[in-house]
């Protein structure tokens, strides 16, 4: 189903950007062996923020 409403597309892009950034930080933390600081400290919170945006802005 195509998304026709323009603000909805912007929210979808924001969700994907925040989620992708979070996953990238988690992967970087695992590669640098700083998983606790980067992966769990920043990356997981970014993924949680993406999920919260999804729940709040797209009922």
């Amino acid at each position: 189903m195509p998304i026709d409403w323009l603000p909805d597309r912007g929210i979808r892009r924001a969700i994907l950007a925040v989620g992708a950034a979070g996953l990238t930080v988690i992967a970087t933390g695992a590669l640098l062996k700083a998983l606790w600081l980067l992966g769990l400290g920043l990356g997981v919170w970014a993924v949680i923020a993406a999920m919260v945006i999804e729940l709040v802005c797209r009922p």
Side-chain angles (χ1 to χ4, degrees), residues 30-57:
L31 290 174
L32 296 177
K33 296 184 181 181
L35 187 60
W36 180 251
L37 178 63
L38 289 176
L40 299 177
L42 300 174
V44 171
W45 283 108
V47 172
I48 291 170
M51 288 189 294
V52 168
I53 293 170
E54 174 76 24
L55 290 172
V56 171
C57 295

Side-chain angles (χ1 to χ4, degrees), residues 3-50:
I3 298 173
D4 294 330
W5 195 47
L6 291 177
D8 198 34
R9 258 191 264 166
I11 291 170
R12 176 124 176 107
R13 285 187 193 137
I15 292 166
L16 292 174
V18 172
L23 292 176
T24 303
V25 170
I26 292 170
T28 303
L31 290 174
L32 296 177
K33 296 184 181 181
L35 187 60
W36 180 251
L37 178 63
L38 289 176
L40 299 177
L42 300 174
V44 171
W45 283 108
V47 172
I48 291 170

